[in-house]
Amino acid sequence: MSKKRQQVLLQILLVVGIIVFINIISVRIFTRLDLTSSKAYSLSDASKKLVQSLEDNFLVKVYFTAELPAPYNNNRRMLKDQLDDYRAYSKGNFQYEFIDPSANPELEQEAQRYQIPPVQVQVVKDDKLQIEKAYMGLVFLYGDKQEHIPVIQNLDKLEYEISSRLKKLTSHTQYKIGFLTGHGEPSFEQMKQLQQTLSDMYELVPVSIANGQELASDISALVIVAPNQSFTETDKYIIDQYLMRGGKIAFFINQIDASLQKQTGQALSLNIEDLIESYGVRINADMVRDARCANVTIQQQSGFMTFQSQVPFPYLPIGSEFNPNSVIVKNLGPVIFHFVSSIDTSFAKAKGLNATVLLSSSNKAGRMQGMFLINPTMPFTADMFTEQFIPLAVSVEGSFKSLFAGKNVSLDSLAKHAIDQTKKLTSSVQTKIVVVGDGDFIQDTYAGTKDNMVFANNLIDWLVDDIGLASIRTKELAVKPLDEVSDGTRTFVKSLNLVVPPLIIVLIGIVRWRLRVSRRKRIEMSI
Amino acid sequence: MDNIKTIFAKELRSFFDSPMAYIIIVVFVGLLGWFFTSSLFLANISTLRTFFETAPFLLLFFGPAITMRLISEEKKAGTIELLATKPIKDFEIIIGKFLAGWALYAIALVPTLMYYFTITMLGSIELGPVVGGYLGLLLVGGVFISIGVFGSTLTENQVVAFIVSFLLVFILFILDKILLFVPGGLASIFEYLSIDYHFSNIARGVIDTRDLIYYFSAIGIMIYLSTIILSKRRWA
């Protein structure tokens, strides 16, 4: 081998070695730029923190049938992308594997042991449309605990689904959500949808303060839903002190007891108004009407005929004006209220509290005050909808001042022994509350849409935990369906895209060729 | 620098003066259009992902086809010696020709922007992933064309150059699709080396330094090796 040859070989080895080295380093030190407007492909900070905090092997088993038709193979890719992201941030503890259980009865059994059921999908096979069994589920294994997602349905929620399970498996304590009882609040039986939604993440417990028991500090958030009996001073004192100790409260309050059946509404005196006002919020004794509203079924008499029809009823507002700057509610689906009162937060600022309107009415709204007559057939005129963006749900953060600061509390005789008033706190640590002017929107009888539950769930997520799982849920996915167009347009669009690009190239060629010919002619002429 | 520019301009002009380049581009763009339109309303979502995914596959043929004659033709005709007698360095020849091939490919992509405008008419599409997708296509093309240039320096025969280049790009392309048959330790290396793995990242609209470094490393190595091969004739 000549000397030159040796030199060159050495040089090649060196150069390739350096490039390999650069690549090895770059795998460890990297940055990324997410060009999508919603940052759909970047894990949110909440998820990153979660996956970084893993202390032990976290295994995700994905039971996913390979070679699924169009929409599902997309799901597979997105899922893999997402899991890759988790893995990239996990310091090696997050691992996943794809398993294809089809045509392998053992694996199928394994999937079903993990409670991953087969689903039916349509596939094209042998030029025929067939129904086939497919698996699209995930199992999460961490230590001796496990969680699963039976079927991946909604890719928009994928990160939330994964992160919430990550969180559930890794958190040592499960947050307790207390639902106040004893003032005519609905039971869990009457809020099955909400219970189902929340129990994914939280332990729901009914709490009673009837005998002067204090609210335990292990209750991460207290939810007060639609009370209709008045609160005693002792009740208020207990709730107040819970907040002062750093507790968080969701007030879902009906200020007006309104019913479609009775066709009347009555202002409730719950004796809780002063408590909520001391936290910077007033729920007005009114009923908001909104041009954007739900329908009610009414019976109409026409001659001898009775028939039912659906009419829009403005006292069932559809709230979709979410605060776009709020991580709690942005991008949420519309919430249907069942008689909602407006909320006034104008005096929160004077108390040093930070109030944010989360949801308001549409730009065509109004309110009924004083007399509450409810009749779906009543005439509605344009002059009844002159108000804009009336606040319907708010959040308040800050250091709250106690309602009982500098006051002597007249406690019930029963509670006098149980409660040590000398320990009274007059102002709270940094904490937060949410107030919604309707207590019905989460009850099965009145509400019903999933979006109502998501809204309530997000509010509670935000109260309980600030690392923001709520912000993941509302992340929008970029891919949208095409507009519906006629068959003719489709054919036109297809042919255009098929023909025009090659045609452009051909035209360039012809133009260049003509130019050359004419130039040659010019040269020939000049000779 | 001037030498590179001269070679680049000369090569690009000769591309456009031969009917071959037009035929190759028309076939390339025509096939892209066929893939795009046939799945457009079937999937019915406003994304260009199917387009971005089929393009590298077609590029397997397209890349070597436009580069096969770049050096081998000059070798065969002996003009490479003429070039070499001029005060032009070998790496300038390689880079100039590589850039010409790359530019031709970029020009061939321009008509496909029509797909983007089609989708904006039919629905709303985010710009980010589209920018990423085109950037990715350019980089994948860069790698394929640098490999094509390498293949072309190896031989005087254009057909042999095409076949060698095709095999090389095909290996890079197939690496992440045969992972199932590869033992565990090698799998991640294979995946890293495969061109599609890096491309799919960029096509989502995520620009990652890992992918950029991979592409530029690949291009760099191929240009370097081509230069070595080209200068080999002087050693004797």
Side-chain angles (χ1 to χ4, degrees), chain A residues 11 19 23 26 30-33 35-37 41 77 81 478 480 482-483 494 497-498 501 509 512 516, chain B residues 17 22 29 33-34 37 44 46 49 53 115 118 122 124 126 128 192 204-205 207-210 217 221 224:
Chain A
Q11 199 193 357
I19 292 180
N23 275 265
S26 87
F30 62 94
T31 60
R32 301 205 282 186
L33 180 65
L35 295 178
T36 59
S37 64
Y41 294 115
R77 182 176 47 201
D81 290 349
K480 298 179 188 80
L482 294 175
D483 299 341
K494 278 168 87 164
N497 277 284
L498 207 50
R512 262 192 79 86
R516 262 160 52 113
Chain B
D17 286 344
Y22 292 101
V29 175
W34 185 70
T37 53
N44 211 38
S46 48
R49 262 176 104 149
E53 272 160 14
Y115 308 153
T118 300
L122 292 170
S124 60
E126 254 195 286
Y192 184 80
R204 287 185 307 162
I207 295 180
D208 192 319
T209 53
R210 287 173 293 187
S217 301
I221 286 184
Y224 170 72

Side-chain angles (χ1 to χ4, degrees), chain A residues 357-429:
Chain A
V357 175
L358 300 176
L359 177 58
S360 10
S361 72
S362 76
N363 57 359
K364 286 197 177 70
R367 359 178 164 212
M368 173 153 42
Q369 276 154 323
M371 288 280 286
F372 300 101
L373 292 170
I374 300 163
N375 179 5
T377 55
M378 70 174 117
F380 289 96
T381 53
D383 63 324
M384 293 170 82
F385 300 96
T386 52
E387 284 187 85
Q388 299 193 342
F389 309 120
I390 303 169
L392 306 177
V394 300
S395 67
V396 188
E397 290 169 87
S399 168
F400 294 86
K401 203 161 163 277
S402 169
L403 172 66
F404 300 99
K407 272 193 237 168
N408 215 352
V409 195
S410 51
L411 293 176
D412 298 353
S413 54
L414 252 172
K416 255 182 195 148
H417 311 288
I419 295 172
D420 182 3
Q421 267 209 63
T422 56
K423 283 188 187 158
K424 183 168 79 180
L425 297 169
T426 55
S427 72
S428 79
V429 293

Side-chain angles (χ1 to χ4, degrees), chain A residues 4-5 8 11-12 15-16 19 22-23 26-27 29-38 41 74 77-78 80-81 85 88 478-485 490 493-494 496-498 500-502 504-506 508-509 512 516, chain B residues 13 16-17 22 25-26 29-30 33-34 36-38 40-41 44-47 49 53 108 111 114-115 118-119 121-124 126 128-129 131-132 191-192 204-210 213-214 217 221 224-225 228 232 235:
Chain A
K4 176 76 186 169
R5 200 167 265 251
V8 170
Q11 199 193 357
I12 293 176
V15 170
V16 173
I19 292 180
I22 291 172
N23 275 265
S26 87
V27 171
I29 307 166
F30 62 94
T31 60
R32 301 205 282 186
L33 180 65
D34 188 343
L35 295 178
T36 59
S37 64
S38 54
Y41 294 115
N74 239 349
R77 182 176 47 201
M78 301 282 287
K80 188 170 182 307
D81 290 349
D85 276 353
V479 178
K480 298 179 188 80
L482 294 175
D483 299 341
E484 282 304 314
V485 291
R490 288 183 180 195
V493 165
K494 278 168 87 164
L496 211 61
N497 277 284
L498 207 50
V500 171
I504 293 174
I505 305 286
V506 173
I508 294 174
R512 262 192 79 86
R516 262 160 52 113
Chain B
R13 210 176 312 122
F16 279 103
D17 286 344
Y22 292 101
I25 298 180
V26 165
V29 175
W34 185 70
F36 171 70
T37 53
S38 57
L40 176 64
F41 292 107
N44 211 38
I45 45 177
S46 48
T47 172
R49 262 176 104 149
E53 272 160 14
M114 180 175 175
Y115 308 153
T118 300
I119 296 224
M121 301 280 195
L122 292 170
S124 60
E126 254 195 286
V131 172
E191 190 176 45
Y192 184 80
R204 287 185 307 162
V206 182
I207 295 180
D208 192 319
T209 53
R210 287 173 293 187
I213 284 180
Y214 164 83
S217 301
I221 286 184
Y224 170 72
L225 290 179
I228 299 261
K232 208 170 98 181
W235 305 345

